[in-house]
C-alpha cells in the first residue's frame, strides 16, 4: 500500500501546486489587463481634454477679436477656412457655434447650431452676473432636435465699457471622441465610453456598434480598485474596464478590453501546464502500475515456489512601464557624472517614490538604488558611450524586504538615454517555481529504477531520442550523451531491441498505450538482458502525436527466476516421484494437497483418493485420532513431530511406517505442513528419508527472504541459508564450524554476547541490531529461538532470524515528523505543540522551574482575507510567523494551532516578568505594517499568558487558562496582552500603519 499512497500523495501535491500557480498567474494577468485598460483610458481622456481645451481657446480667441472689433465680428468670418478658428481647432470638426446677445436671443450661428433662446438658462445667468473671464462647461446638454447630448462651452462677451454683451457658445458632439478613433490601440471588440456620472448618461462605441445617449452606469469592482463594472453590460462579451477622471469637465473616460484577449497568454500557459501535469501524472501512474504489477508477479512467483517446494516465497503615459528620459551631465573632461531627468511618466515617478514634478529636472543619481552591481549610472553611461541598447532583468534586494525583480531597458539617445522598467516579481517568482517543478520531475525520471526514454515521431525528427535516464544507461550500456539527439537506428545496433521503427509507425497509425512483449537485448559488452516495455503516445495541443514515452523494466532477473522455478519444479517432481519415502503436503487444516508415488506404493491409497482428508484412510482407525494431536503440536513447537504408525494396505497387509510431520514456517508464520511416510523395514530406507528431509529443509531455508542460521551451545555456526551467506560475503563452506566471535569480530561480538547467553539460557529474544557498513546504517530485527535437546530441557543451540527493517524505520520517522509540522508556516502544528507542551510541563514539574504559555491571535485578520484574498492572507501568516520568531529566544517553541491562532512555550524562566516583557515586545513588533506582494496591511496581536511551575501537569487546563487571558485581552480593546494570577499590563500603544514605496 505504500507505493500507491506515495504516488497519490505525489500527484496530489503536484496538482495542488499547479492550481495554486495558475491562480497566481490568473490574478497577475487580470491585474496587468486592468493597468492596460487604465492606460488606454488615460490616452482617451488626454485626447478629449485636449479638444475641450482647444475649444475653450477658440471661445477666448473669439472674445478677444469680438471686443477688439467692438462687437462687429461674426461667426462666418471667424470660422472661415484658414481663418482664426482653424488656428486653434482642426477644420474637420465643424463644431456648431452660436453668438447669443445680452438678452439671450440668438444673434448668429454656424455649422447647424440648434438651440433656442438662452435667457433663463443657468449658464447664461451665471455669465451675465459674473464679471470674470472663466468659461462655462455644461455636461451634458441635450440637443432639442435630435435628443442627443452635447458638451457645451460658453464664454462671456463684453462691450467697450466692460458690460455684458452676450456669449459665444460652442457645442461638441461627444461621438467625435469615440467614433472611428484610432489613437487608442484596441481590438475590434473593445469598448470606449465617455460617461457623465452626475447625469448618468454615456456615449460610446463597442466594436462597430455606437451607444448614443443610453443610460449605462459603472461602479467600482472593489474598494480601492481601478477596475470598473458596468451596471448593465452592453453585450455578451466579457471585458475588463478601467477609467480616467476628467474632473474639470465632469466626464469619465472608460475603456474596456476583451477578457479573451487580455487572458490569452495566461490561457496558453494554463494549457501547457495542464499538459505537462497530465503527462507527469500518466508517467507516475504507469510507473506505479508497473511496479505494483512487478510486485504482484514476484509475490505470485514466490507463492508458486512455496506450493511446488512445500513452502511460500515472498513609452507614453499609457505605457505599462515606468519610462524616463535622461540627459547626460559631463565634467570638464567629458566624462558622464550624472543624468538629468528631462521627462518621466507618472508610473516611473511613483516607482522612484516621488511625484513627476519633483523628479523632472533633477539629477538621477540620488534617486537610484545603490546596492546594485554594476551601478545603474554606470550602465546608463555605457549604453550612451556604445550607442547600443541594453535590456536586462535586475534583482533588487532591500534588507528586511522581499527581493524585487525589474525588467530594465536602456535605449541610447543623442545626448542621453531613455530608460523603462517594469516590476516582474510575480512572473519571476512563477518562473522560479515552474523551474523547481521541472527540476523535480527531471530528478524523479533520472532516479526511477525503470528505463525511461522518449523518442520523437515528428516528420522532421522521426526516431530521435530526447530523453534517456540513468536506469536506461545502466541496463543497456549506452550513455545518454551517445543516445540523446540521435535517431534510434543511428544510436543502436540494427538488431538492438529498442530500435523499433515498425512499432513507432504502428503507434502513429493507432495511437494508444501498448504493452509490448518481453524482448531480449544484447548489450555492447555481449551481456544478454530481457526488457518488458510499455509505450505511451504523447500529443501536442492540436491532438497530434508528437512523442512516444517508453517505460521499460529490466526483467532479466525475473526471467531467470521463472526459468529456475520451472527447472526446480521439474526437478522437485522428479525427485519426489523417485523418492523412497512417501511424501505428503497438507494445508493449515490438515487437508492433503499432494502425495508422491511412493506414498501410493506404501499405503496403497491412490493420489486422487488421498487428496483432502482421504489420506487418513491409509491409517488404522486408532491411529487417525492422533493426527490432530500432531498438528496442534506443530503449531506450538518448531521441531518436526515423529510417530510410528500402522497402515492397512488394500491387499490386507499391515505396514509399519515412520510418520514425520513438520510445519512450514515463513517469517515465524505457519503456511502449511509437510510429512513423510517411511516404510521402516530397513535402516537404509530410514537414512534415505532423513537425507531427503534435510535437503528439503535446506531448500526451504534458502528460499526464505530472511537471514536464517543455527548456532550450537558452543556458539559455533552449524547452518546458515543463502541470505546469511550473502551477508557474510564468504563462500558457503567457510562459515559453518566458525564461532560467532570469529565471524563478526570482537567489537560486534561484545554487543551480541548478552543476547546469545540469554538465548542459550532458554529465552526467546527479539531485538534490533544496528549495522554500519560503508557509511550507511541499517536496522535489523533479530530473533533468537532456543533449540531444546531430546530431553526437552537442555538447550543445545538456537536459531537466528535477521530481517532488514531500515526502510520501515525511516518511513516511520519521516511520517512522525511530517505529522507535527504546519505546511504553510513551517512551525509546529497542533499535534507537535501538544506533544512539546506535555514534555515541557513534565520537565518543569520535575525540575521545579517556571515556564509560561502564550496564546495569541492576529487582530483584524479576517478583513485582510476578505479584502485582498486568501493568497495575501497566507502571505500575512508567513510574515507574521517570521517576525514572531525573530522576537523570541532560541529556546522558545512557536506553533500555529490553525487559522490565525499561535502559541509560544517558554521554558526555564527566572521570573514571571521575563515572559511579560516578551509579550509586550511581541505586541510592539506586530504594530509595524506588513509589506505583502504590493499590498501593505496593518494588524496587531492580542496575547493571553499563563504560568506553570509544579504540580500535576495538565496541558488542557494550562491552554484553557491562557485562552481565558486572551479573551480578556480582546475585551480590553485588542493590541495588548493579559497574564494569569492577576498580573496585567496596560495595553500597548497602537501605531498608525505606515506605507512605504519599495522599488
Amino acid at each position: 500500500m505504500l507505493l500507491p499512497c506515495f504516488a497519490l500523495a505525489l500527484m496530489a501535491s503536484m496538482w495542488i501546486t499547479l492550481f495554486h500557480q495558475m491562480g497566481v498567474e490568473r490574478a497577475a494577468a487580470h491585474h496587468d489587463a486592468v493597468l492596460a485598460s487604465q492606460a488606454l483610458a488615460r490616452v482617451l481622456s488626454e485626447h478629449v481634454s485636449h479638444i475641450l481645451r482647444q475649444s475653450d481657446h477658440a471661445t477666448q480667441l473669439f472674445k478677444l477679436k469680438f471686443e477688439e472689433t467692438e462687437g462687429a465680428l461674426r461667426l462666418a468670418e471667424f470660422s472661415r477656412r484658414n481663418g482664426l478658428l482653424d488656428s486653434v481647432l482642426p477644420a474637420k470638426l465643424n463644431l456648431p457655434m452660436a453668438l447669443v446677445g445680452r438678452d439671450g436671443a440668438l444673434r448668429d450661428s454656424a455649422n447647424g447650431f440648434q438651440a433656442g433662446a438662452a435667457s433663463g438658462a443657468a449658464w447664461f445667468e451665471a455669465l451675465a452676473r459674473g464679471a470674470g473671464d472663466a468659461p462655462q462647461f455644461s455636461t451634458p446638454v441635450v440637443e432639442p432636435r435630435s435628443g442627443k447630448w452635447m458638451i457645451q462651452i460658453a464664454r462671456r462677451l463684453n462691450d467697450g465699457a466692460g458690460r455684458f454683451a452676450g456669449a459665444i457658445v460652442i457645442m461638441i458632439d461627444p461621438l467625435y471622441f469615440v467614433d472611428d478613433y484610432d489613437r487608442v490601440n484596441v481590438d475590434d471588440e473593445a469598448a470606449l465610453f465617455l460617461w457623465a456620472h452626475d447625469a448618468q448618461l454615456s456615449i460610446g462605441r463597442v466594436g462597430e456598434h455606437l451607444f448614443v445617449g443610453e443610460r449605462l452606469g459603472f461602479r467600482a469592482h472593489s474598494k480601492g480598485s481601478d477596475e470598473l463594472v458596468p451596471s448593465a453590460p452592453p453585450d455578451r462579451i466579457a471585458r475588463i474596464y478601467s477609467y480616467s477622471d476628467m474632473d474639470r469637465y465632469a466626464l469619465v473616460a472608460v475603456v474596456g478590453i476583451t477578457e479573451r484577449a487580455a487572458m490569452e497568454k495566461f490561457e496558453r500557459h494554463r494549457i501547457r501546464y495542464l499538459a505537462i501535469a497530465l503527462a507527469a501524472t500518466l508517467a507516475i501512474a504507469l510507473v506505479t502500475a508497473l511496479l505494483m504489477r512487478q510486485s504482484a508477479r514476484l509475490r505470485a512467483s514466490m507463492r508458486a515456489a512455496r506450493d511446488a517446494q512445500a513452502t511460500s516465497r515472498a513609452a507614453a503615459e499609457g505605457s505599462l512601464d515606468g519610462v524616463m528620459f535622461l540627459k547626460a551631465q559631463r565634467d570638464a573632461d567629458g566624462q558622464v557624472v550624472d543624468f538629468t531627468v528631462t521627462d518621466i511618466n507618472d508610473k516611473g515617478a511613483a516607482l522612484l517614490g516621488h511625484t513627476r514634478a519633483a523628479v523632472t529636472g533633477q539629477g538621477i543619481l540620488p534617486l537610484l538604488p545603490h546596492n546594485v552591481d554594476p551601478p545603474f549610472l554606470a550602465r546608463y553611461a555605457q549604453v550612451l558611450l556604445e550607442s547600443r541598447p541594453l535590456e536586462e532583468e535586475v534583482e533588487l534586494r532591500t534588507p528586511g524586504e522581499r527581493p524585487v525583480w525589474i525588467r530594465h531597458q536602456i535605449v541610447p539617445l543623442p545626448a542621453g538615454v531613455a530608460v523603462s522598467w517594469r516590476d516582474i516579481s510575480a512572473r519571476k517568482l512563477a518562473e522560479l517555481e515552474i523551474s523547481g517543478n521541472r527540476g523535480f520531475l527531471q530528478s524523479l525520471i533520472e532516479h526511477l529504477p525503470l528505463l525511461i526514454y522518449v523518442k520523437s515521431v515528428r516528420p522532421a525528427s522521426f526516431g530521435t531520442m530526447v530523453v534517456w535516464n540513468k536506469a536506461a544507461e545502466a541496463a543497456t550500456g549506452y550513455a545518454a550523451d551517445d543516445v540523446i539527439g540521435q535517431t534510434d537506428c543511428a544510436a543502436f545496433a540494427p538488431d538492438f531491441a529498442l530500435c523499433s521503427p515498425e512499432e513507432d509507425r504502428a503507434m502513429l497509425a493507432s495511437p494508444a498505450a501498448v504493452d509490448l512483449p518481453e524482448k531480449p537485448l544484447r548489450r555492447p559488452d555481449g551481456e544478454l538482458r530481457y526488457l518488458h516495455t510499455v509505450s505511451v503516445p504523447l500529443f501536442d495541443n492540436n491532438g497530434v502525436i508528437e512523442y512516444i514515452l517508453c517505460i521499460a523494466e529490466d526483467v532479466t532477473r525475473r526471467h531467470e527466476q521463472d526459468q529456475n522455478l520451472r527447472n526446480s519444479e521439474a526437478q522437485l517432481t522428479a525427485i519426489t516421484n523417485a523418492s523412497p519415502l512417501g511424501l505428503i503436503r497438507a494445508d493449515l487444516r490438515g487437508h492433503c494437497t499432494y502425495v508422491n508415488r511412493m506414498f501410493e506404493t506404501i499405503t496403497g491409497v491412490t493420489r486422487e483418493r488421498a487428496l483432502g482428508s482421504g489420506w487418513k484412510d491409509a491409517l488404522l482407525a486408532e491411529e487417525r485420532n492422533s493426527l490432530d494431536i500432531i498438528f496442534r503440536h506443530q503449531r506450538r513447537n518448531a521441531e518436526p513431530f515423529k510417530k510410528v504408525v500402522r497402515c492397512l494396505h488394500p491387499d490386507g497387509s499391515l505396514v509399519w511406517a515412520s510418520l514425520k510431520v513438520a510445519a512450514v514456517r515463513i517469517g515465524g508464520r505457519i503456511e502449511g505442513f509437510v510429512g513423510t511416510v517411511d516404510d521402516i523395514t530397513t535402516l537404509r530406507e530410514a537414512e534415505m528419508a532423513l537425507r531427503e528431509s534435510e535437503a528439503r529443509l535446506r531448500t526451504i531455508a534458502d528460499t526464505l527472504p530472511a537471514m536464517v542460521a543455527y548456532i550450537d551451545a558452543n556458539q559455533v555456526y552449524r547452518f546458515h541459508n543463502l541470505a546469511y551467506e550473502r551477508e557474510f560475503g564468504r563462500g558457503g563452506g567457510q562459515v559453518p564450524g566458525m564461532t560467532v566471535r570469529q565471524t563478526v569480530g570482537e567489537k560486534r561480538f561484545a554487543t551480541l554476547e548478552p543476547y546469545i547467553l540469554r538465548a542459550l539460557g532458554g529465552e526467546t529474544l527479539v531485538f534490533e541490531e544496528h549495522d554500519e557498513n560503508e557509511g550507511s546504517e541499517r536496522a535489523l530485527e533479530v530473533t533468537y529461538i532456543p533449540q531444546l535437546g531430546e530431553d526437552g530441557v537442555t538447550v543445545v543451540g538456537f536459531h537466528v532470524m535477521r530481517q532488514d527493517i531500515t526502510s520501515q524505520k525511516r518511513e516511520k520517522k519521516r511520517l512522525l515528523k511530517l505529522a507535527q509540522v504546519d505546511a504553510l508556516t513551517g512551525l509546529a502544528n497542533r499535534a507537535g505543540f501538544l506533544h512539546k507542551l506535555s514534555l515541557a510541563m513534565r520537565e518543569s514539574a520535575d525540575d521545579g522551574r517556571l515556564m509560561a504559555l502564550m496564546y495569541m491571535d492576529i487582530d483584524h485578520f479576517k478583513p485582510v482575507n476578505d479584502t485582498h484574498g486568501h493568497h495575501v492572507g497566507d502571505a500575512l501568516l508567513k510574515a507574521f510567523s517570521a517576525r514572531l520568531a525573530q522576537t523570541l529566544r532560541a529556546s522558545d517553541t512557536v506553533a500555529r494551532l490553525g487559522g490565525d491562532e499561535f502559541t509560544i512555550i517558554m521554558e526555564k524562566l527566572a521570573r514571571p516578568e521575563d515572559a511579560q516583557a516578551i509579550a509586550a515586545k511581541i505586541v510592539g513588533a506586530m504594530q509595524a505594517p506588513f509589506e505583502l506582494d504590493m499590498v501593505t496591511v496593518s494588524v496587531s496581536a492580542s496575547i493571553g499568558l499563563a504560568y506553570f511551575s509544579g504540580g500535576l501537569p495538565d496541558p488542557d487546563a494550562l491552554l484553557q487558562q491562557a485562552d481565558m487571558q486572551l479573551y480578556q485581552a480582546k475585551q480590553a480593546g485588542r493590541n495588548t496582552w493579559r497574564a494569569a494570577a492577576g498580573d496585567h499590563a496596560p495595553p500597548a500603544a497602537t501605531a498608525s500603519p505606515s506605507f512605504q514605496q519599495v522599488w
Side-chain angles (χ1 to χ4, degrees), residues 941-979:
S942 297
I943 302 175
L945 182 60
Y947 300 100
F948 177 79
S949 60
L952 182 63
D954 188 350
D956 292 337
L958 185 62
L959 184 62
Q960 184 178 7
Q961 187 179 15
D963 190 17
M964 292 176 60
Q965 299 302 317
L966 173 62
Y967 177 78
Q968 293 183 11
K970 290 285 188 180
Q971 292 296 314
R974 295 184 174 87
N975 194 18
T976 187
W977 57 271
R978 288 295 183 265

Side-chain angles (χ1 to χ4, degrees), residues 98-164:
L99 179 61
V100 181
R102 62 167 50 91
D103 57 354
L106 185 65
R107 302 301 186 196
D108 191 8
S109 64
N111 300 329
F113 183 87
Q114 297 291 332
S119 60
W123 63 269
F124 185 79
E125 296 296 333
L127 290 177
R129 290 193 305 269
D133 194 33
Q136 285 286 336
F137 288 90
S138 300
T139 305
V141 174
V142 179
E143 188 179 75
R145 184 182 64 177
S146 63
K148 65 181 180 181
W149 62 278
M150 308 284 284
I151 299 175
Q152 176 182 291
I153 304 175
R155 186 180 291 273
R156 173 189 173 105
L157 300 177
N158 296 327
D159 56 14
R163 294 187 300 271
F164 177 65

Side-chain angles (χ1 to χ4, degrees), residues 725-747:
E725 181 179 330
R726 289 190 294 269
E727 174 73 10
F728 288 136
R730 302 184 175 92
Q734 296 182 6
V735 175
M738 296 177 62
T739 65
V740 177
R741 185 191 301 271
Q742 294 171 335
T743 305
V744 302
E746 291 291 341
K747 181 178 180 180

Side-chain angles (χ1 to χ4, degrees), residues 384-442:
L384 179 61
L385 178 63
E386 297 178 356
S387 296
R388 186 170 56 187
L390 174 64
E391 181 175 356
E392 59 185 350
E393 292 182 357
V394 181
E395 180 183 5
L396 303 178
R397 288 186 175 272
T398 301
E401 304 292 344
R402 65 179 182 86
V404 176
W405 281 270
I406 63 170
R407 184 176 64 85
H408 192 225
Q409 293 178 301
I410 311 172
V411 178
L413 297 176
V417 293
V419 182
S420 66
W421 62 90
R422 180 186 297 180
D423 189 340
I424 59 170
S425 300
R427 176 177 65 79
K428 200 69 176 180
L429 292 175
E431 290 178 356
L432 293 175
E433 186 172 355
I434 292 172
S435 176
N437 293 337
R438 289 177 178 170
F440 167 75
L441 292 177
Q442 182 65 30

Side-chain angles (χ1 to χ4, degrees), residues 171-211:
M171 305 291 281
I172 303 176
D173 187 354
L175 189 60
Y176 165 75
F177 301 116
V178 296
D179 185 17
D180 192 23
Y181 178 62
D182 58 0
R183 283 179 171 80
V184 182
N185 185 18
V186 295
D187 55 27
D188 294 338
E189 295 180 343
L192 305 176
F193 287 97
L194 281 180
W195 179 38
H197 52 81
D198 292 338
Q200 292 297 310
L201 293 176
S202 63
I203 186 168
R205 173 169 61 85
V206 179
E208 297 301 328
H209 182 67
L210 295 176
F211 289 80

